[in-house]
Amino acid sequence: MARVAASRRSLLGHSYNLVGVVASLVILAWTLIAIFAPAIIPHSIGDIVDDDYFGPMRHGLWLGSDYLGRDMLSRVLMGARYTVGISLAAVCIACFSGVVLGMIAAVTGGWLDTCLSRFLDAMNSIPSKLFGLVVVAAVGSSIPALILTLAVIYIPGAYRFARALAVNINTMDFMTVARVRGESTAYLIGSEILPNIMRPVLADFGLRFVFIVLLLSGLSFLGLGLQPPLADWGALVRENIGGLPFAAPAVIVPSLAIASLTISVNLLIDNLPQKIRDRDA
């Protein structure tokens, strides 16, 4: 038992299980693919390399071909670049904005806290898919528009989560001592509150990344995501949906890619070490 426990220790002193390690490797693999996709794709994403549409897996076309005879492996690898990149940019903006606003509201209180909370509660009451459909249909589906739209949708949730954590920290004795010393609001937020809520905020970051990936894929499947010739995984499913009766890899593989990324992030969060996952650890 001692040897098993020792084998579950990392260099940082946290214990990990096999599920968490495997999930981390899957996430790392998709991240590296997203970064280096242009250098590793075997064909250009627009080249027609097959005489048949919805071609099967075979040598040279390891994931078959799509509805136009293009290489699906190349398109899935490049789709990772857009799915992971757009989702990561959106979740960074959403979590940074929500966490900063939540900590400011918790520390200052008063009318600022009330106004921010009521406004963001009203934003949160709008269904995310409906809001995304309306905004993208109105301003277009360029990459910057998609990133900002997805970020705005998830800022209220990040704000509520961070504010709830910061309010609890704000009532503790060391915060009272810091105020008596005359510390500024910026110091209270950056040096007292943020370090004490960082761990649960990171776990929330991962969950919101999953939500954004699924929402982006849903918008693309409805035709309001990236437009041709660009394509994320949701758009790949939509444009190859005609191959579903034939069990074509062109429609199955992008779906599996979405599932592998989102499930891996969820499994990683569920299997994080207790010291990282729990704020009181």
Side-chain angles (χ1 to χ4, degrees), residues 43-178:
H43 302 282
S44 175
I45 59 173
D47 290 349
I48 298 177
V49 295
D50 192 4
D51 295 333
D52 194 9
Y53 60 93
F54 296 133
M57 297 180 181
R58 63 183 186 274
H59 181 72
L61 292 174
W62 300 107
L63 296 181
S65 58
D66 68 355
Y67 73 108
L68 291 178
R70 296 172 295 189
D71 178 34
M72 275 305 298
L73 176 60
S74 302
R75 292 184 66 77
V76 168
L77 294 181
M78 283 300 294
R81 188 176 184 87
Y82 297 113
T83 298
V84 176
I86 292 175
S87 300
L88 186 60
V91 75
C92 287
I93 295 173
C95 286
F96 176 80
S97 303
V99 169
V100 170
L101 291 176
M103 291 189 297
I104 292 174
V107 172
T108 58
W111 65 268
L112 179 60
D113 182 18
T114 301
C115 292
L116 274 175
S117 297
R118 298 295 78 78
F119 173 73
L120 292 175
D121 283 345
M123 290 287 297
N124 199 42
S125 66
I126 304 174
S128 58
K129 287 186 176 59
L130 179 61
F131 182 84
L133 288 171
V134 171
V135 173
V136 172
V139 304
S141 54
S142 64
I143 291 179
L146 284 173
I147 291 174
L148 291 178
T149 301
L150 295 170
V152 169
I153 289 173
Y154 286 99
I155 284 176
Y159 166 84
R160 292 180 64 185
F161 184 79
R163 181 186 175 279
L165 295 172
V167 165
N168 291 334
I169 300 296
N170 195 45
T171 60
M172 294 185 177
D173 293 339
F174 63 85
M175 290 293 293
T176 303
V177 172

Side-chain angles (χ1 to χ4, degrees), residues 184-203:
S184 64
T185 300
Y187 176 87
L188 295 176
I189 291 173
S191 300
E192 301 292 349
I193 294 181
L194 183 59
N196 287 285
I197 68 172
M198 182 59 71
R199 290 169 179 170
V201 163
L202 290 177

